[in-house]
Amino acid sequence: MRIVVLNILSVLLFISCNTSSDNVEKDSKYGIVIHGGAGNIVKENIPDSLIAEYNNKLEEALDAGIVILEKGGKSIDAVEAAIHILEDSPLFNAGKGSVFTHDGLNEMDASIMDGKTLNAGAVSGVQTIKNPISAARTVMIRSEHVMLSGRGAEKFAEDHGLIIVDKTYFYTRKRWESLQHIIEKQKKDKYGTVGCVAVDIHGNIVAGTSTGGMTNKRYGRVGDSPIIGAGTYANNNTCGISATGHGEYFIRYTVAHDISALMEYKGVSLKEAADIVINQKLKSVNGSGGVIGIDKDLNICMTFNTPGMFRGYATSNGDRQVLIFK
Ligand code: ASP
């Protein structure tokens, strides 16, 4: 008798598990939002052929992430895959296309954060890691630290089997010429960074950001991109954010966390929170740049106070768009 009851119970358990996983599949929502930097990006200054190249690369990055999410894959894999596409392209100021420091080096920063666990990883000032976002992910998952810098971060990445390249890999003529141009004018250029935020069918939000920093930066300057709460933040209860812009302002105003905090403490929507921080707080002090973000209900923000921001999103609702100008 006892065995019969147990058998019936296990059949019922089997049916209920299967039904609930079917429901997860049916109701499953996922989405991804990316950026390739904000700045003085105006149509008149970019040839049509280059606009097409940017659009194609943003579409390719969205595809790389969405293909993972639609199969029920994890948001962290989607974020890393999308950022790899942008890091491997010379078009954006991250990985291959990183800008030069004043001393003619490429010093990259990246970070990633998991909104479920609030775990995070970051690297700063790395010169030989092909995909800094993967180094950030490895720091998050395989170390007890949040941020590693310079040679130590490179050694850690090498020890964990990441692709290490010769420093000359990051040379691109365009970035070299812009350094010479900027040195002549003694100015700083603040555009380019890449970022991605994704939510998977389990409602887990992950945000990541990767950058070469600012052209002509000196003395080991570190921007907002590797700083959790400034350039990157994720919390399943609120949203995930990746930022781009004049890093010093994003650090001082803890931009990414501020948006999450407005949602958490004041109950405002993602869009409204991003608008308050980017278009009111930052704008009033001339802090230029923007953010992308997503929450578990697939609300998306792509908010910036500059003339343009390379950006795009795709969701399980079938919504998809790639944009550059205002
Ligand atoms: N936020 C980056 C930094 O300050 C630059 C950028 O977004 O282009 O390093």
Side-chain angles (χ1 to χ4, degrees):
M1 178 65 186
R2 218 165 130 206
I3 292 173
V4 173
V5 171
L6 277 177
N7 276 345
I8 293 171
L9 277 178
S10 43
V11 168
L12 284 176
L13 194 67
F14 177 78
I15 293 170
S16 92
C17 283
N18 265 4
T19 317
S20 70
S21 87
D22 282 344
N23 283 345
V24 168
E25 294 299 328
K26 223 185 322 151
D27 308 336
S28 49
K29 288 191 273 187
Y30 55 85
I32 184 166
V33 54
I34 56 174
H35 73 74
N40 192 20
I41 304 161
V42 281
K43 204 162 193 269
E44 300 74 67
N45 296 344
I46 313 180
D48 287 350
S49 59
L50 191 54
I51 292 179
E53 275 185 55
Y54 276 114
N55 281 331
N56 290 341
K57 209 33 99 175
L58 292 168
E59 295 282 7
E60 196 184 325
L62 281 179
D63 282 342
I66 213 82
V67 101
I68 291 170
L69 296 170
E70 69 194 4
K71 283 190 202 136
K74 291 183 186 162
S75 44
I76 188 166
D77 292 325
V79 166
E80 188 179 21
I83 292 184
H84 270 196
I85 301 288
L86 303 172
E87 282 182 334
D88 291 345
S89 162
L91 291 174
F92 304 96
N93 173 21
K96 174 71 185 155
S98 290
V99 297
F100 284 94
T101 65
H102 184 76
D103 300 320
L105 301 168
N106 306 101
E107 292 181 350
M108 294 158 284
D109 302 329
S111 67
I112 198 159
M113 183 166 186
D114 181 336
K116 183 182 178 193
T117 57
L118 303 192
N119 207 353
V123 292
S124 77
V126 296
Q127 297 179 18
T128 60
I129 301 172
K130 181 167 177 267
N131 292 105
I133 195 68
S134 297
R137 178 184 179 160
T138 311
V139 171
M140 173 168 90
I141 291 172
R142 315 229 353 228
S143 86
E144 60 201 28
H145 308 296
V146 170
M147 190 192 287
L148 300 179
S149 71
R151 273 5 97 219
E154 288 170 356
K155 172 84 173 62
F156 173 84
E158 199 176 345
D159 287 352
H160 287 83
L162 267 66
I163 303 174
I164 302 297
V165 290
D166 191 82
K167 289 178 188 173
T168 53
Y169 166 80
F170 299 103
Y171 173 88
T172 56
R173 198 162 147 201
K174 182 176 137 203
R175 300 297 188 196
W176 181 255
E177 281 169 0
S178 81
L179 173 67
Q180 308 315 315
H181 179 72
I182 280 168
I183 285 178
E184 240 169 66
K185 293 178 153 182
Q186 277 308 312
K187 268 178 44 188
K188 282 186 192 155
D189 185 2
K190 42 184 177 298
Y191 313 123
T193 300
V194 306
C196 177
V197 189
V199 56
D200 61 28
I201 61 166
H202 307 290
N204 290 335
I205 302 174
V206 169
T209 311
S210 181
T211 189
M214 285 163 75
T215 307
N216 202 23
K217 62 184 182 180
R218 299 181 82 170
Y219 311 118
R221 178 261 186 192
V222 177
D224 60 313
S225 307
I227 296 181
I228 299 303
T232 302
Y233 192 74
N235 184 331
N236 282 4
N237 296 324
T238 53
C239 64
I241 296 288
S242 169
T244 172
H246 195 157
E248 280 66 13
Y249 290 88
F250 283 70
I251 296 173
R252 290 187 197 119
Y253 286 79
T254 53
V255 165
H257 181 261
D258 202 27
I259 293 170
S260 167
L262 276 167
M263 293 174 72
E264 186 174 356
Y265 301 131
K266 291 192 100 182
V268 303
S269 71
L270 171 62
K271 264 202 178 125
E272 207 184 325
D275 193 55
I276 292 171
V277 177
I278 300 297
N279 286 323
Q280 295 177 31
K281 280 176 133 177
L282 273 195
K283 205 170 174 184
S284 69
V285 291
N286 287 328
S288 64
V291 292
I292 52 160
I294 195 167
D295 68 14
K296 65 175 181 346
D297 299 318
L298 306 187
N299 293 304
I300 283 172
C301 75
M302 300 193 294
T303 310
F304 51 101
N305 60 26
T306 51
M309 179 166 85
F310 298 106
R311 61 201 188 278
Y313 66 90
T315 73
S316 49
N317 300 334
D319 301 329
R320 182 172 174 133
Q321 218 174 2
V322 159
L323 297 157
I324 299 179
F325 310 103
K326 229 173 194 141

